[in-house]
Amino acid sequence: MATVLIIGASRGIGLETVKAALQAGHSVRALARSARRIPIDRPKLEKIAGDALETAFFSKATRVLVTAMEETDVKRLICVTGFGAGDSRGHGGFVYNLAFHLLLGRVYDDKDVQEWIVRRSKLDWVIVRPVILTDGPKTNAYRALADARDWTCGFISRADVADFLVKQIDDDAFLYKTPVLTS
């Protein structure tokens, strides 16, 4: 089993990924500004209080992380951006694309840079792009769409995203790919 670092581990996809990784038998280092609020206590869980970079910018934190990983010979990076980042931008249909641009355009401009940094790294990477997130249960009924011709908007639970992320720790099927996750 692996030792996994999960950044942003106190809620959302991060917390669900902590749960899924522990259930799969991995040791987890959970980094979060509010690490003491992580509602799990297990022997294989180390809670670490802190911020990836003391900033909200994805690209700056990713640049620091990639550099640290390359310098310490850590190979696998599983990065979550979102549907609408990189070359998936514009694939959501008219209403989604309009709302996306108005509400999230600047955030996703930075996620584009984040993806560029990951793609040009020396790491073994997977960039995961979930569609609209829900708090629903794990269903195992999701699809990972690597072919841009299949990309479509939809919904997916954070628990299903976490399930997919943990599977990527040992699976090379999506290595150097940018799958869109949807139900």
Side-chain angles (χ1 to χ4, degrees), residues 4 10 12 26 33 49 58 83 86 99 108 118 124 142 161 163 170:
V4 180
S10 64
H26 299 291
R33 285 185 292 262
F58 298 105
F83 185 60
Y108 273 73
V118 171
D124 294 339
Y142 60 87
V161 174
D163 179 70
D170 299 314

Side-chain angles (χ1 to χ4, degrees), residues 25-179:
H26 299 291
S27 295
V28 175
R29 292 182 177 152
L31 176 70
R33 285 185 292 262
S34 55
R36 70 182 187 285
R37 293 186 188 167
I38 297 172
I40 303 168
D41 287 304
R42 301 269 170 74
K44 288 188 168 188
L45 175 62
E46 178 185 357
K47 299 176 187 179
I48 304 167
D51 193 325
L53 190 62
E54 303 300 329
T55 183
F57 296 110
F58 298 105
S59 60
K60 289 182 181 179
T62 300
R63 186 169 282 118
V64 169
L65 181 62
V66 165
T67 300
M69 290 176 72
E70 289 176 342
E71 289 175 355
T72 57
D73 205 31
V74 175
K75 295 291 183 197
R76 179 72 50 117
L77 175 60
I78 304 159
C79 178
V80 178
T81 58
F83 185 60
D87 57 354
S88 70
R89 189 172 290 211
H91 284 266
F94 177 75
V95 174
Y96 178 84
N97 293 338
L98 178 63
F100 173 87
H101 177 74
L102 293 173
L103 299 174
L104 299 171
R106 288 186 178 197
V107 171
Y108 273 73
D109 288 344
D110 191 53
K111 287 181 181 260
D112 290 347
V113 175
Q114 177 186 20
E115 287 195 6
W116 181 86
I117 293 165
V118 171
R119 285 175 178 259
R120 279 148 188 81
S121 74
K122 298 173 187 168
L123 304 174
D124 294 339
W125 56 265
V126 179
I127 297 173
V128 181
R129 298 169 171 164
V131 292
I132 300 169
L133 299 166
T134 72
D135 289 325
K138 179 177 144 187
T139 67
N140 291 319
Y142 60 87
R143 298 174 293 146
L145 307 172
D147 188 333
R149 293 172 293 190
D150 298 329
W151 290 345
T152 182
C153 191
F155 297 90
I156 189 166
S157 73
R158 289 174 175 86
D160 278 337
V161 174
D163 179 70
F164 181 81
L165 296 175
V166 170
K167 288 177 180 172
Q168 302 321 296
I169 294 169
D170 299 314
D171 188 348
D172 292 344
F174 290 96
L175 203 56
Y176 309 115
K177 295 182 181 173
T178 57

